[in-house]
Amino acid sequence: MKLSADKLCCARGGRPVVSELSFSLSSGDGMMLSGPNGSGKTTLLRAIAGFGEITGGELHLDSLKDTDELSQACLYIGHHNAIKPQLSVQENIDFWASFGGGDVAAALASFSLEPIKDVPASMLSAGQRRRVGLSRLALAKRPVWLLDEPATSLDKASTKTLSQLMQSYLDEGGILIAASHTDFDITLNKNLVLGDQGTAL
Amino acid sequence: MNEFMAVLRRDIKLAAAQGGGLGMAIGFFLIVVSLIPFGVGPDLNLLARVAPGILWIALLLSVLLSLDRLFQADYEDGSLEHLVVGRAPLEFIIVAKVLAHWITTGVPLIMATPILGFFLNLEPDAFGILVLTMLIGTPALNFVGAAGAALTVGIRRGGLLLSLIVLPLYVPILVFGVSAVQSSMLGPDGSMQTMMILAAFTLASAALAPIAAAAALRANLR
């Protein structure tokens, strides 16, 4: 697997944010995306995930260029956790398993959610909600992970779990792009630093 | 198909768990209809004559009331992003959501209609045909409304804008829905043609509105 961008330009709501980015990641590569607030990290991740706006340049995953197929190969975890407060933790994960496929038991085990699986999601703390959101990483096997500030509101133990999950994913040959201000226990082998104008530094 | 059923089941479950949306729509329907006799006075003949129109208008306003939340919750909690890039085409997912919304709000509202018909001195003979026209015609209200809801999903307090977009589009459905009931009062078989036209509206909107709604949702995520 190889994910490559060639002079990629992205816009947010019609306003150009990211300009002329080029990178190339193959199986087992992890890329840390950093840069000041507003430098276009989220915009870039959303564009790769398939619901952003690509205004120029090219994005390839192997021979896949068509946005629909490319976006189905990606798993995007954004700022929101996609959790329904009226449903329990288990029901939430059940829905995503029936929608995208995957193993509910593995997802529950990944961030030790079993003790709270029957709790309505509206009763969860911010960190617990984040863990439910991140448990989707263990649910469906996708070749590319796009993580936008994945460690927000996680405690130390859960951040460690996340790091381990990322490490084993890379060992299995996954491609990972993470935008984060938190230091993980693992180091990603590539770095992309965005400047104020959304260009690579 | 799995994705379709998953979304349909989840939305029905959410509506049942939440409860508020349906109770509000039925309560609104009840209050609007019961206000009419106070406004026009206790003239039973007049009420019977305008009853089908009033019931239809009150019904479409009640449907509209709950429509603005159709995509909003998914948009706010981030689910929509995942629904958009799922394996099933977004258009299918939208049909599932609209169907779930119709089952959880449209059908209960229609079931409440005969009771409200008594308030307005509607002839009991017309109850059956009224319910039938509503069953045939209301899915069109939901589908057309879904396209409007998708357009206004990113706007806070988009409900009013949604009404401005959608209500003019409801005019043909209202005209044929009411005339089907009225022509059935004149004699048997009088309402067949109008029912067919109503069914055509529903089928056309079911085919076209999801495409429009999907395009609007994608544009709103950008």
PDB file of all heavy atoms in Angstrom, chain A residues 52-89:
ATOM      1  N   GLY A  52     -13.748  16.421   2.475  1.00  0.00           N
ATOM      2  CA  GLY A  52     -13.225  17.782   2.388  1.00  0.00           C
ATOM      3  C   GLY A  52     -13.265  18.205   0.937  1.00  0.00           C
ATOM      4  O   GLY A  52     -13.890  17.560   0.114  1.00  0.00           O
ATOM      5  N   GLU A  53     -12.579  19.293   0.645  1.00  0.00           N
ATOM      6  CA  GLU A  53     -12.622  19.805  -0.714  1.00  0.00           C
ATOM      7  C   GLU A  53     -11.192  19.854  -1.257  1.00  0.00           C
ATOM      8  O   GLU A  53     -10.347  20.584  -0.742  1.00  0.00           O
ATOM      9  CB  GLU A  53     -13.235  21.206  -0.669  1.00  0.00           C
ATOM     10  CG  GLU A  53     -13.667  21.724  -2.017  1.00  0.00           C
ATOM     11  CD  GLU A  53     -14.337  23.084  -1.882  1.00  0.00           C
ATOM     12  OE1 GLU A  53     -14.577  23.538  -0.744  1.00  0.00           O
ATOM     13  OE2 GLU A  53     -14.588  23.689  -2.926  1.00  0.00           O
ATOM     14  N   ILE A  54     -10.931  19.039  -2.261  1.00  0.00           N
ATOM     15  CA  ILE A  54      -9.618  19.064  -2.891  1.00  0.00           C
ATOM     16  C   ILE A  54      -9.697  19.974  -4.106  1.00  0.00           C
ATOM     17  O   ILE A  54     -10.507  19.760  -4.998  1.00  0.00           O
ATOM     18  CB  ILE A  54      -9.170  17.638  -3.299  1.00  0.00           C
ATOM     19  CG1 ILE A  54      -8.987  16.791  -2.038  1.00  0.00           C
ATOM     20  CG2 ILE A  54      -7.882  17.685  -4.111  1.00  0.00           C
ATOM     21  CD1 ILE A  54      -8.567  15.364  -2.294  1.00  0.00           C
ATOM     22  N   THR A  55      -8.873  21.025  -4.126  1.00  0.00           N
ATOM     23  CA  THR A  55      -8.991  22.005  -5.201  1.00  0.00           C
ATOM     24  C   THR A  55      -7.886  21.865  -6.241  1.00  0.00           C
ATOM     25  O   THR A  55      -7.959  22.465  -7.297  1.00  0.00           O
ATOM     26  CB  THR A  55      -8.971  23.441  -4.640  1.00  0.00           C
ATOM     27  OG1 THR A  55      -7.874  23.555  -3.726  1.00  0.00           O
ATOM     28  CG2 THR A  55     -10.248  23.754  -3.900  1.00  0.00           C
ATOM     29  N   GLY A  56      -6.866  21.088  -5.905  1.00  0.00           N
ATOM     30  CA  GLY A  56      -5.821  20.921  -6.900  1.00  0.00           C
ATOM     31  C   GLY A  56      -4.867  19.820  -6.484  1.00  0.00           C
ATOM     32  O   GLY A  56      -4.904  19.339  -5.353  1.00  0.00           O
ATOM     33  N   GLY A  57      -4.031  19.394  -7.388  1.00  0.00           N
ATOM     34  CA  GLY A  57      -3.074  18.346  -7.080  1.00  0.00           C
ATOM     35  C   GLY A  57      -3.733  16.973  -7.114  1.00  0.00           C
ATOM     36  O   GLY A  57      -4.908  16.843  -7.466  1.00  0.00           O
ATOM     37  N   GLU A  58      -2.970  15.970  -6.733  1.00  0.00           N
ATOM     38  CA  GLU A  58      -3.503  14.606  -6.826  1.00  0.00           C
ATOM     39  C   GLU A  58      -3.240  13.831  -5.563  1.00  0.00           C
ATOM     40  O   GLU A  58      -2.260  14.047  -4.855  1.00  0.00           O
ATOM     41  CB  GLU A  58      -2.874  13.892  -8.015  1.00  0.00           C
ATOM     42  CG  GLU A  58      -3.436  14.395  -9.319  1.00  0.00           C
ATOM     43  CD  GLU A  58      -2.954  13.598 -10.514  1.00  0.00           C
ATOM     44  OE1 GLU A  58      -2.048  12.771 -10.339  1.00  0.00           O
ATOM     45  OE2 GLU A  58      -3.498  13.820 -11.601  1.00  0.00           O
ATOM     46  N   LEU A  59      -4.169  12.893  -5.298  1.00  0.00           N
ATOM     47  CA  LEU A  59      -4.067  12.037  -4.127  1.00  0.00           C
ATOM     48  C   LEU A  59      -4.294  10.605  -4.598  1.00  0.00           C
ATOM     49  O   LEU A  59      -5.280  10.325  -5.282  1.00  0.00           O
ATOM     50  CB  LEU A  59      -5.136  12.447  -3.112  1.00  0.00           C
ATOM     51  CG  LEU A  59      -5.137  11.716  -1.777  1.00  0.00           C
ATOM     52  CD1 LEU A  59      -3.906  12.083  -0.967  1.00  0.00           C
ATOM     53  CD2 LEU A  59      -6.393  12.074  -0.990  1.00  0.00           C
ATOM     54  N   HIS A  60      -3.347   9.722  -4.277  1.00  0.00           N
ATOM     55  CA  HIS A  60      -3.468   8.335  -4.726  1.00  0.00           C
ATOM     56  C   HIS A  60      -3.297   7.382  -3.557  1.00  0.00           C
ATOM     57  O   HIS A  60      -2.482   7.616  -2.675  1.00  0.00           O
ATOM     58  CB  HIS A  60      -2.370   7.993  -5.739  1.00  0.00           C
ATOM     59  CG  HIS A  60      -2.505   8.715  -7.029  1.00  0.00           C
ATOM     60  ND1 HIS A  60      -3.259   8.239  -8.068  1.00  0.00           N
ATOM     61  CD2 HIS A  60      -1.991   9.902  -7.447  1.00  0.00           C
ATOM     62  CE1 HIS A  60      -3.195   9.098  -9.068  1.00  0.00           C
ATOM     63  NE2 HIS A  60      -2.438  10.113  -8.717  1.00  0.00           N
ATOM     64  N   LEU A  61      -4.055   6.290  -3.573  1.00  0.00           N
ATOM     65  CA  LEU A  61      -3.760   5.168  -2.692  1.00  0.00           C
ATOM     66  C   LEU A  61      -3.568   3.985  -3.628  1.00  0.00           C
ATOM     67  O   LEU A  61      -4.537   3.492  -4.195  1.00  0.00           O
ATOM     68  CB  LEU A  61      -4.906   4.911  -1.713  1.00  0.00           C
ATOM     69  CG  LEU A  61      -4.688   3.756  -0.747  1.00  0.00           C
ATOM     70  CD1 LEU A  61      -3.565   4.061   0.224  1.00  0.00           C
ATOM     71  CD2 LEU A  61      -5.957   3.450   0.031  1.00  0.00           C
ATOM     72  N   ASP A  62      -2.311   3.561  -3.803  1.00  0.00           N
ATOM     73  CA  ASP A  62      -1.985   2.597  -4.855  1.00  0.00           C
ATOM     74  C   ASP A  62      -2.555   3.108  -6.170  1.00  0.00           C
ATOM     75  O   ASP A  62      -2.255   4.213  -6.574  1.00  0.00           O
ATOM     76  CB  ASP A  62      -2.506   1.202  -4.520  1.00  0.00           C
ATOM     77  CG  ASP A  62      -1.649   0.537  -3.446  1.00  0.00           C
ATOM     78  OD1 ASP A  62      -0.551   1.061  -3.173  1.00  0.00           O
ATOM     79  OD2 ASP A  62      -2.072  -0.469  -2.876  1.00  0.00           O
ATOM     80  N   SER A  63      -3.422   2.329  -6.789  1.00  0.00           N
ATOM     81  CA  SER A  63      -3.966   2.812  -8.068  1.00  0.00           C
ATOM     82  C   SER A  63      -5.288   3.554  -7.852  1.00  0.00           C
ATOM     83  O   SER A  63      -5.864   4.088  -8.790  1.00  0.00           O
ATOM     84  CB  SER A  63      -4.186   1.626  -8.999  1.00  0.00           C
ATOM     85  OG  SER A  63      -5.076   0.727  -8.389  1.00  0.00           O
ATOM     86  N   LEU A  64      -5.778   3.582  -6.590  1.00  0.00           N
ATOM     87  CA  LEU A  64      -7.067   4.219  -6.332  1.00  0.00           C
ATOM     88  C   LEU A  64      -6.924   5.728  -6.416  1.00  0.00           C
ATOM     89  O   LEU A  64      -6.100   6.318  -5.728  1.00  0.00           O
ATOM     90  CB  LEU A  64      -7.579   3.849  -4.942  1.00  0.00           C
ATOM     91  CG  LEU A  64      -7.991   2.406  -4.691  1.00  0.00           C
ATOM     92  CD1 LEU A  64      -8.504   2.261  -3.279  1.00  0.00           C
ATOM     93  CD2 LEU A  64      -9.051   1.980  -5.679  1.00  0.00           C
ATOM     94  N   LYS A  65      -7.747   6.319  -7.233  1.00  0.00           N
ATOM     95  CA  LYS A  65      -7.731   7.770  -7.306  1.00  0.00           C
ATOM     96  C   LYS A  65      -9.138   8.299  -7.061  1.00  0.00           C
ATOM     97  O   LYS A  65      -9.333   9.376  -6.525  1.00  0.00           O
ATOM     98  CB  LYS A  65      -7.236   8.214  -8.677  1.00  0.00           C
ATOM     99  CG  LYS A  65      -6.589   9.574  -8.654  1.00  0.00           C
ATOM    100  CD  LYS A  65      -6.292  10.045 -10.048  1.00  0.00           C
ATOM    101  CE  LYS A  65      -6.589  11.531 -10.142  1.00  0.00           C
ATOM    102  NZ  LYS A  65      -6.589  11.973 -11.511  1.00  0.00           N
ATOM    103  N   ASP A  66     -10.102   7.479  -7.419  1.00  0.00           N
ATOM    104  CA  ASP A  66     -11.504   7.820  -7.239  1.00  0.00           C
ATOM    105  C   ASP A  66     -11.774   8.085  -5.761  1.00  0.00           C
ATOM    106  O   ASP A  66     -11.432   7.294  -4.901  1.00  0.00           O
ATOM    107  CB  ASP A  66     -12.355   6.647  -7.742  1.00  0.00           C
ATOM    108  CG  ASP A  66     -13.816   6.893  -7.514  1.00  0.00           C
ATOM    109  OD1 ASP A  66     -14.320   7.896  -8.025  1.00  0.00           O
ATOM    110  OD2 ASP A  66     -14.437   6.098  -6.801  1.00  0.00           O
ATOM    111  N   THR A  67     -12.369   9.220  -5.450  1.00  0.00           N
ATOM    112  CA  THR A  67     -12.529   9.620  -4.050  1.00  0.00           C
ATOM    113  C   THR A  67     -13.336   8.619  -3.234  1.00  0.00           C
ATOM    114  O   THR A  67     -13.034   8.380  -2.078  1.00  0.00           O
ATOM    115  CB  THR A  67     -13.227  10.986  -3.957  1.00  0.00           C
ATOM    116  OG1 THR A  67     -13.317  11.528  -5.247  1.00  0.00           O
ATOM    117  CG2 THR A  67     -12.484  11.893  -3.045  1.00  0.00           C
ATOM    118  N   ASP A  68     -14.397   8.036  -3.846  1.00  0.00           N
ATOM    119  CA  ASP A  68     -15.258   7.133  -3.082  1.00  0.00           C
ATOM    120  C   ASP A  68     -14.485   5.924  -2.577  1.00  0.00           C
ATOM    121  O   ASP A  68     -14.557   5.572  -1.412  1.00  0.00           O
ATOM    122  CB  ASP A  68     -16.427   6.655  -3.954  1.00  0.00           C
ATOM    123  CG  ASP A  68     -17.545   7.670  -3.954  1.00  0.00           C
ATOM    124  OD1 ASP A  68     -17.431   8.652  -3.185  1.00  0.00           O
ATOM    125  OD2 ASP A  68     -18.510   7.497  -4.710  1.00  0.00           O
ATOM    126  N   GLU A  69     -13.735   5.298  -3.481  1.00  0.00           N
ATOM    127  CA  GLU A  69     -13.003   4.093  -3.078  1.00  0.00           C
ATOM    128  C   GLU A  69     -11.890   4.437  -2.117  1.00  0.00           C
ATOM    129  O   GLU A  69     -11.633   3.711  -1.162  1.00  0.00           O
ATOM    130  CB  GLU A  69     -12.428   3.395  -4.312  1.00  0.00           C
ATOM    131  CG  GLU A  69     -13.499   2.707  -5.138  1.00  0.00           C
ATOM    132  CD  GLU A  69     -12.901   2.072  -6.378  1.00  0.00           C
ATOM    133  OE1 GLU A  69     -11.937   1.313  -6.229  1.00  0.00           O
ATOM    134  OE2 GLU A  69     -13.398   2.356  -7.472  1.00  0.00           O
ATOM    135  N   LEU A  70     -11.241   5.567  -2.375  1.00  0.00           N
ATOM    136  CA  LEU A  70     -10.147   5.985  -1.506  1.00  0.00           C
ATOM    137  C   LEU A  70     -10.667   6.257  -0.094  1.00  0.00           C
ATOM    138  O   LEU A  70     -10.077   5.834   0.891  1.00  0.00           O
ATOM    139  CB  LEU A  70      -9.486   7.231  -2.084  1.00  0.00           C
ATOM    140  CG  LEU A  70      -8.023   7.459  -1.720  1.00  0.00           C
ATOM    141  CD1 LEU A  70      -7.378   8.365  -2.739  1.00  0.00           C
ATOM    142  CD2 LEU A  70      -7.859   8.055  -0.353  1.00  0.00           C
ATOM    143  N   SER A  71     -11.820   6.935  -0.011  1.00  0.00           N
ATOM    144  CA  SER A  71     -12.316   7.298   1.313  1.00  0.00           C
ATOM    145  C   SER A  71     -12.809   6.066   2.070  1.00  0.00           C
ATOM    146  O   SER A  71     -12.800   6.043   3.289  1.00  0.00           O
ATOM    147  CB  SER A  71     -13.414   8.352   1.211  1.00  0.00           C
ATOM    148  OG  SER A  71     -14.460   7.879   0.424  1.00  0.00           O
ATOM    149  N   GLN A  72     -13.237   5.031   1.328  1.00  0.00           N
ATOM    150  CA  GLN A  72     -13.657   3.814   2.030  1.00  0.00           C
ATOM    151  C   GLN A  72     -12.477   3.038   2.601  1.00  0.00           C
ATOM    152  O   GLN A  72     -12.651   2.194   3.474  1.00  0.00           O
ATOM    153  CB  GLN A  72     -14.479   2.923   1.095  1.00  0.00           C
ATOM    154  CG  GLN A  72     -15.916   3.385   1.021  1.00  0.00           C
ATOM    155  CD  GLN A  72     -16.636   2.867  -0.184  1.00  0.00           C
ATOM    156  OE1 GLN A  72     -16.336   1.789  -0.676  1.00  0.00           O
ATOM    157  NE2 GLN A  72     -17.590   3.626  -0.664  1.00  0.00           N
ATOM    158  N   ALA A  73     -11.294   3.331   2.108  1.00  0.00           N
ATOM    159  CA  ALA A  73     -10.104   2.678   2.660  1.00  0.00           C
ATOM    160  C   ALA A  73      -9.623   3.390   3.918  1.00  0.00           C
ATOM    161  O   ALA A  73      -8.779   2.877   4.639  1.00  0.00           O
ATOM    162  CB  ALA A  73      -9.001   2.661   1.612  1.00  0.00           C
ATOM    163  N   CYS A  74     -10.165   4.591   4.177  1.00  0.00           N
ATOM    164  CA  CYS A  74      -9.689   5.384   5.306  1.00  0.00           C
ATOM    165  C   CYS A  74     -10.633   5.279   6.495  1.00  0.00           C
ATOM    166  O   CYS A  74     -11.839   5.147   6.339  1.00  0.00           O
ATOM    167  CB  CYS A  74      -9.606   6.867   4.918  1.00  0.00           C
ATOM    168  SG  CYS A  74      -8.473   7.186   3.583  1.00  0.00           S
ATOM    169  N   LEU A  75     -10.053   5.341   7.674  1.00  0.00           N
ATOM    170  CA  LEU A  75     -10.858   5.470   8.885  1.00  0.00           C
ATOM    171  C   LEU A  75     -10.489   6.802   9.508  1.00  0.00           C
ATOM    172  O   LEU A  75      -9.350   7.023   9.903  1.00  0.00           O
ATOM    173  CB  LEU A  75     -10.569   4.324   9.847  1.00  0.00           C
ATOM    174  CG  LEU A  75     -11.335   4.369  11.164  1.00  0.00           C
ATOM    175  CD1 LEU A  75     -12.832   4.340  10.904  1.00  0.00           C
ATOM    176  CD2 LEU A  75     -10.962   3.200  12.045  1.00  0.00           C
ATOM    177  N   TYR A  76     -11.447   7.719   9.545  1.00  0.00           N
ATOM    178  CA  TYR A  76     -11.193   9.055  10.060  1.00  0.00           C
ATOM    179  C   TYR A  76     -11.804   9.191  11.442  1.00  0.00           C
ATOM    180  O   TYR A  76     -12.981   8.889  11.638  1.00  0.00           O
ATOM    181  CB  TYR A  76     -11.817  10.072   9.094  1.00  0.00           C
ATOM    182  CG  TYR A  76     -11.875  11.491   9.600  1.00  0.00           C
ATOM    183  CD1 TYR A  76     -10.768  12.327   9.492  1.00  0.00           C
ATOM    184  CD2 TYR A  76     -13.031  12.004  10.173  1.00  0.00           C
ATOM    185  CE1 TYR A  76     -10.820  13.636   9.944  1.00  0.00           C
ATOM    186  CE2 TYR A  76     -13.092  13.318  10.632  1.00  0.00           C
ATOM    187  CZ  TYR A  76     -11.985  14.121  10.513  1.00  0.00           C
ATOM    188  OH  TYR A  76     -12.041  15.417  10.960  1.00  0.00           O
ATOM    189  N   ILE A  77     -11.006   9.581  12.414  1.00  0.00           N
ATOM    190  CA  ILE A  77     -11.542   9.902  13.740  1.00  0.00           C
ATOM    191  C   ILE A  77     -11.298  11.380  13.966  1.00  0.00           C
ATOM    192  O   ILE A  77     -10.160  11.816  14.091  1.00  0.00           O
ATOM    193  CB  ILE A  77     -10.851   9.086  14.856  1.00  0.00           C
ATOM    194  CG1 ILE A  77     -10.929   7.586  14.565  1.00  0.00           C
ATOM    195  CG2 ILE A  77     -11.454   9.436  16.209  1.00  0.00           C
ATOM    196  CD1 ILE A  77     -12.165   6.888  15.006  1.00  0.00           C
ATOM    197  N   GLY A  78     -12.347  12.153  13.962  1.00  0.00           N
ATOM    198  CA  GLY A  78     -12.225  13.600  14.042  1.00  0.00           C
ATOM    199  C   GLY A  78     -12.450  14.115  15.454  1.00  0.00           C
ATOM    200  O   GLY A  78     -12.357  13.369  16.426  1.00  0.00           O
ATOM    201  N   HIS A  79     -12.789  15.394  15.545  1.00  0.00           N
ATOM    202  CA  HIS A  79     -12.994  16.000  16.864  1.00  0.00           C
ATOM    203  C   HIS A  79     -14.244  15.449  17.539  1.00  0.00           C
ATOM    204  O   HIS A  79     -14.328  15.391  18.748  1.00  0.00           O
ATOM    205  CB  HIS A  79     -13.127  17.517  16.721  1.00  0.00           C
ATOM    206  CG  HIS A  79     -11.878  18.166  16.249  1.00  0.00           C
ATOM    207  ND1 HIS A  79     -10.872  18.518  17.100  1.00  0.00           N
ATOM    208  CD2 HIS A  79     -11.443  18.499  15.013  1.00  0.00           C
ATOM    209  CE1 HIS A  79      -9.883  19.060  16.420  1.00  0.00           C
ATOM    210  NE2 HIS A  79     -10.202  19.051  15.139  1.00  0.00           N
ATOM    211  N   HIS A  80     -15.230  15.083  16.726  1.00  0.00           N
ATOM    212  CA  HIS A  80     -16.476  14.570  17.302  1.00  0.00           C
ATOM    213  C   HIS A  80     -16.413  13.051  17.367  1.00  0.00           C
ATOM    214  O   HIS A  80     -15.791  12.407  16.542  1.00  0.00           O
ATOM    215  CB  HIS A  80     -17.665  15.003  16.463  1.00  0.00           C
ATOM    216  CG  HIS A  80     -17.795  16.491  16.366  1.00  0.00           C
ATOM    217  ND1 HIS A  80     -18.109  17.264  17.453  1.00  0.00           N
ATOM    218  CD2 HIS A  80     -17.612  17.336  15.336  1.00  0.00           C
ATOM    219  CE1 HIS A  80     -18.127  18.531  17.086  1.00  0.00           C
ATOM    220  NE2 HIS A  80     -17.821  18.615  15.805  1.00  0.00           N
ATOM    221  N   ASN A  81     -17.117  12.496  18.353  1.00  0.00           N
ATOM    222  CA  ASN A  81     -17.000  11.057  18.576  1.00  0.00           C
ATOM    223  C   ASN A  81     -18.065  10.234  17.866  1.00  0.00           C
ATOM    224  O   ASN A  81     -18.024   9.008  17.929  1.00  0.00           O
ATOM    225  CB  ASN A  81     -17.055  10.774  20.073  1.00  0.00           C
ATOM    226  CG  ASN A  81     -15.859  11.352  20.771  1.00  0.00           C
ATOM    227  OD1 ASN A  81     -14.747  11.251  20.285  1.00  0.00           O
ATOM    228  ND2 ASN A  81     -16.091  11.991  21.906  1.00  0.00           N
ATOM    229  N   ALA A  82     -19.024  10.884  17.214  1.00  0.00           N
ATOM    230  CA  ALA A  82     -20.101  10.166  16.527  1.00  0.00           C
ATOM    231  C   ALA A  82     -20.822   9.201  17.463  1.00  0.00           C
ATOM    232  O   ALA A  82     -21.033   8.041  17.151  1.00  0.00           O
ATOM    233  CB  ALA A  82     -19.567   9.426  15.293  1.00  0.00           C
ATOM    234  N   ILE A  83     -21.170   9.712  18.653  1.00  0.00           N
ATOM    235  CA  ILE A  83     -21.880   8.884  19.637  1.00  0.00           C
ATOM    236  C   ILE A  83     -23.271   9.457  19.834  1.00  0.00           C
ATOM    237  O   ILE A  83     -23.434  10.668  19.926  1.00  0.00           O
ATOM    238  CB  ILE A  83     -21.143   8.917  20.983  1.00  0.00           C
ATOM    239  CG1 ILE A  83     -19.779   8.270  20.849  1.00  0.00           C
ATOM    240  CG2 ILE A  83     -21.945   8.209  22.060  1.00  0.00           C
ATOM    241  CD1 ILE A  83     -18.966   8.385  22.109  1.00  0.00           C
ATOM    242  N   LYS A  84     -24.261   8.568  19.899  1.00  0.00           N
ATOM    243  CA  LYS A  84     -25.625   9.006  20.195  1.00  0.00           C
ATOM    244  C   LYS A  84     -25.855   8.946  21.699  1.00  0.00           C
ATOM    245  O   LYS A  84     -25.761   7.879  22.298  1.00  0.00           O
ATOM    246  CB  LYS A  84     -26.642   8.101  19.490  1.00  0.00           C
ATOM    247  CG  LYS A  84     -26.603   8.218  17.987  1.00  0.00           C
ATOM    248  CD  LYS A  84     -27.154   9.545  17.551  1.00  0.00           C
ATOM    249  CE  LYS A  84     -26.873   9.759  16.077  1.00  0.00           C
ATOM    250  NZ  LYS A  84     -26.994  11.158  15.695  1.00  0.00           N
ATOM    251  N   PRO A  85     -26.149  10.094  22.325  1.00  0.00           N
ATOM    252  CA  PRO A  85     -26.291  10.100  23.787  1.00  0.00           C
ATOM    253  C   PRO A  85     -27.437   9.224  24.297  1.00  0.00           C
ATOM    254  O   PRO A  85     -27.389   8.758  25.426  1.00  0.00           O
ATOM    255  CB  PRO A  85     -26.545  11.576  24.123  1.00  0.00           C
ATOM    256  CG  PRO A  85     -26.919  12.224  22.848  1.00  0.00           C
ATOM    257  CD  PRO A  85     -26.274  11.442  21.753  1.00  0.00           C
ATOM    258  N   GLN A  86     -28.452   8.987  23.463  1.00  0.00           N
ATOM    259  CA  GLN A  86     -29.602   8.204  23.948  1.00  0.00           C
ATOM    260  C   GLN A  86     -29.288   6.716  24.021  1.00  0.00           C
ATOM    261  O   GLN A  86     -29.993   5.970  24.680  1.00  0.00           O
ATOM    262  CB  GLN A  86     -30.814   8.375  23.024  1.00  0.00           C
ATOM    263  CG  GLN A  86     -31.276   9.799  22.822  1.00  0.00           C
ATOM    264  CD  GLN A  86     -30.678  10.405  21.573  1.00  0.00           C
ATOM    265  OE1 GLN A  86     -29.535  10.116  21.212  1.00  0.00           O
ATOM    266  NE2 GLN A  86     -31.430  11.251  20.902  1.00  0.00           N
ATOM    267  N   LEU A  87     -28.267   6.270  23.286  1.00  0.00           N
ATOM    268  CA  LEU A  87     -27.968   4.839  23.242  1.00  0.00           C
ATOM    269  C   LEU A  87     -26.850   4.500  24.230  1.00  0.00           C
ATOM    270  O   LEU A  87     -26.055   5.362  24.599  1.00  0.00           O
ATOM    271  CB  LEU A  87     -27.529   4.440  21.830  1.00  0.00           C
ATOM    272  CG  LEU A  87     -28.508   4.716  20.695  1.00  0.00           C
ATOM    273  CD1 LEU A  87     -27.931   4.248  19.368  1.00  0.00           C
ATOM    274  CD2 LEU A  87     -29.842   4.040  20.940  1.00  0.00           C
ATOM    275  N   SER A  88     -26.802   3.216  24.618  1.00  0.00           N
ATOM    276  CA  SER A  88     -25.732   2.785  25.507  1.00  0.00           C
ATOM    277  C   SER A  88     -24.437   2.638  24.710  1.00  0.00           C
ATOM    278  O   SER A  88     -24.443   2.688  23.481  1.00  0.00           O
ATOM    279  CB  SER A  88     -26.096   1.457  26.158  1.00  0.00           C
ATOM    280  OG  SER A  88     -26.012   0.430  25.203  1.00  0.00           O
ATOM    281  N   VAL A  89     -23.327   2.465  25.428  1.00  0.00           N
ATOM    282  CA  VAL A  89     -22.032   2.301  24.778  1.00  0.00           C
ATOM    283  C   VAL A  89     -22.076   1.126  23.797  1.00  0.00           C
ATOM    284  O   VAL A  89     -21.669   1.233  22.640  1.00  0.00           O
ATOM    285  CB  VAL A  89     -20.940   2.071  25.849  1.00  0.00           C
ATOM    286  CG1 VAL A  89     -19.634   1.661  25.206  1.00  0.00           C
ATOM    287  CG2 VAL A  89     -20.761   3.329  26.683  1.00  0.00           C
TER     288      VAL A  89
END
